[in-house]
Amino acid sequence: MDLSIICTYRCISKCRMCNIWQNPSNPKDELSLETLAKLPKGLGHVNIQGGEPTLRADLMEIIDTVYPKARVTEISSNGLLPDRLVPIIKKYPRVKVRVSLEGDEKTNNRIRGESDGFKTKVEGLKKLKAAGGKDLGFAIVVQDENASQLASVYEAAKSIGADFSASALHNGWQFHKADNCLRDQATAAREIEKTITAFIRSNSIKSWFRAYMILGLRKQIMGHDPSEKCTAGTGFAFIDPWANVFACNVRADLLMGNLRKQSWEDILSSSAVRRCRTQVVQCEKKCWKVVNARVAMRSALIPRFPKFGTIRWVVTNKIRAAIGLDVLFDH
């Protein structure tokens, strides 16, 4: 199972699409190392996020606790305090770091309420690379204000040897906000198509499969059914700062248990989990975020490899690109 661990709701960004910064958690109440130690070994992809995880004074100890338990450990950060990540990357160079970047300098700083965010993020990622980081990148939330800048953020990432990922503007219980809405879906879809094409035409195998992930984003924006079934509560889950375990971060009613009060084994065998999994099967939301897309694309037999359908789409479109044909966006 993959996990997203929301270790704090404290944040120093003031994003337009998220009001977490107005509703911070109390450090005394946040997930403890003792609680995190209850997680089992053999986890898949574990993402330490917030709020802003670098505001946790014990972030290094959190990574010390989680890293041996996970196949991949990631930190999702606003990138404003890169010096706090440098010691972690020096100790664990394979920890994945994704820094939020919402467009060019003016656009990013306006959307995220950051006075000098763009420069800090770009220079910070360079610092992490110099520290030995092996898997670094920028992450963008596609919205009306920055859809036209998808390609430029991708190029900015490429220019410093960094990765790139994207998700679509959405609502979630942890945002304390329910009016996020992408109005010009057609423009966003066209820009995503350009990014998919750039990924397919690149020489990076990782980018080819990222193209398929972004394809699902296009479907979500256009209101189409996702390519893969959601595995919330089975393939992935979220843990909030108070140790509540949720099947996903969109529906607050999918509460599975509390890691502070229960063991991980007791949570997974509970009637609450069975109820949540039934509700997920019946869910009519058409989500396609990195967390559920990653699990949905993964082979059940060999988790390090994608499903056959994903491979087939990538190979087909790589061949089409090689002979000068357009990428097939309908799948």
Side-chain angles (χ1 to χ4, degrees):
M1 177 179 278
D2 288 6
L3 287 179
S4 294
I5 300 174
I6 307 169
C7 63
T8 181
Y9 276 160
R10 291 173 285 145
C11 193
I12 51 177
S13 294
K14 297 180 179 180
C15 299
R16 293 183 176 185
M17 62 283 195
C18 175
N19 290 334
I20 282 179
W21 59 276
Q22 295 177 341
N23 299 272
S25 50
N26 187 325
K28 295 180 181 179
D29 299 329
E30 292 170 352
L31 275 166
S32 68
L33 298 176
E34 291 75 19
T35 298
L36 290 174
K38 295 167 72 175
L39 291 171
K41 292 183 179 179
L43 294 170
H45 191 122
V46 175
N47 188 340
I48 308 300
Q49 57 188 75
E52 176 46 44
T54 58
L55 295 179
R56 286 282 302 242
D58 58 350
L59 182 57
M60 176 68 87
E61 288 74 19
I62 290 175
I63 301 300
D64 287 338
T65 302
V66 170
Y67 190 85
K69 299 174 181 286
R71 181 171 55 82
V72 177
T73 302
E74 177 178 357
I75 299 173
S76 292
S77 172
N78 61 21
L80 298 183
L81 299 170
D83 290 341
R84 298 189 183 186
L85 292 172
V86 169
I88 294 173
I89 292 302
K90 285 184 175 179
K91 184 175 182 179
Y92 299 107
R94 296 196 178 278
V95 163
K96 182 176 180 178
V97 176
R98 291 297 178 268
V99 169
S100 299
L101 189 71
E102 309 299 352
D104 61 24
E105 186 166 4
K106 288 184 179 179
T107 304
N108 175 83
N109 294 350
R110 182 172 62 250
I111 289 176
R112 298 189 61 83
E114 299 166 351
S115 61
D116 200 22
F118 183 91
K119 290 181 180 178
T120 303
K121 296 165 195 283
V122 173
E123 292 305 312
L125 219 60
K126 291 178 181 178
K127 283 185 180 180
L128 297 180
K129 189 168 185 178
K134 305 295 185 185
D135 193 347
L136 311 172
F138 293 122
I140 185 172
V141 177
V142 181
Q143 47 201 289
D144 291 307
E145 286 189 80
N146 67 7
S148 63
Q149 296 179 29
L150 264 175
S152 62
V153 173
Y154 172 53
E155 292 301 326
K158 271 205 319 182
S159 70
I160 60 172
D163 205 346
F164 168 86
S165 63
S167 60
L169 186 69
H170 64 281
N171 294 301
W173 45 263
Q174 79 278 31
F175 299 155
H176 298 276
K177 200 172 187 292
D179 60 351
N180 286 327
C181 178
L182 210 163
R183 299 175 188 83
D184 190 354
Q185 293 97 335
T187 296
R190 284 195 299 270
E191 294 300 323
I192 287 172
E193 288 172 5
K194 294 177 185 177
T195 307
I196 292 170
T197 301
F199 278 170
I200 286 292
R201 289 178 176 170
S202 75
N203 295 321
S204 166
I205 295 176
K206 188 174 183 179
S207 292
W208 303 345
F209 287 93
R210 184 59 57 82
Y212 183 87
M213 185 176 285
I214 301 294
L215 177 71
L217 196 62
R218 175 185 176 274
K219 287 189 173 188
Q220 177 187 337
I221 287 171
M222 298 303 292
H224 300 161
D225 290 334
S227 304
E228 312 285 350
K229 293 181 179 179
C230 180
T231 60
T234 304
F236 66 91
F238 284 75
I239 304 178
D240 76 6
W242 300 281
N244 294 309
V245 182
F246 291 89
C248 80
N249 68 337
V250 174
R251 291 180 51 177
D253 61 316
L254 299 181
L255 177 63
M256 298 165 64
N258 184 284
L259 189 59
R260 187 174 292 154
K261 300 174 182 177
Q262 301 165 268
S263 71
W264 185 249
E265 293 74 18
D266 286 345
I267 291 173
L268 291 189
S269 62
S270 68
S271 59
V273 166
R274 292 192 291 273
R275 173 186 57 81
C276 286
R277 289 173 176 171
T278 299
Q279 289 178 289
V280 168
V281 172
Q282 299 168 348
C283 184
E284 296 182 356
K285 293 184 180 292
K286 299 175 179 179
C287 303
W288 187 261
K289 303 185 296 299
V290 173
V291 61
N292 64 315
R294 182 172 54 230
V295 177
M297 290 168 57
R298 188 181 298 155
S299 168
L301 296 175
I302 311 174
R304 291 179 178 272
F305 290 89
K307 290 179 178 177
F308 174 74
T310 305
I311 295 173
R312 181 176 58 192
W313 182 89
V314 167
V315 171
T316 298
N317 285 287
K318 192 63 185 172
I319 293 172
R320 288 178 64 86
I323 61 177
L325 297 177
D326 292 337
V327 172
L328 295 172
F329 297 113
D330 293 322
H331 170 72

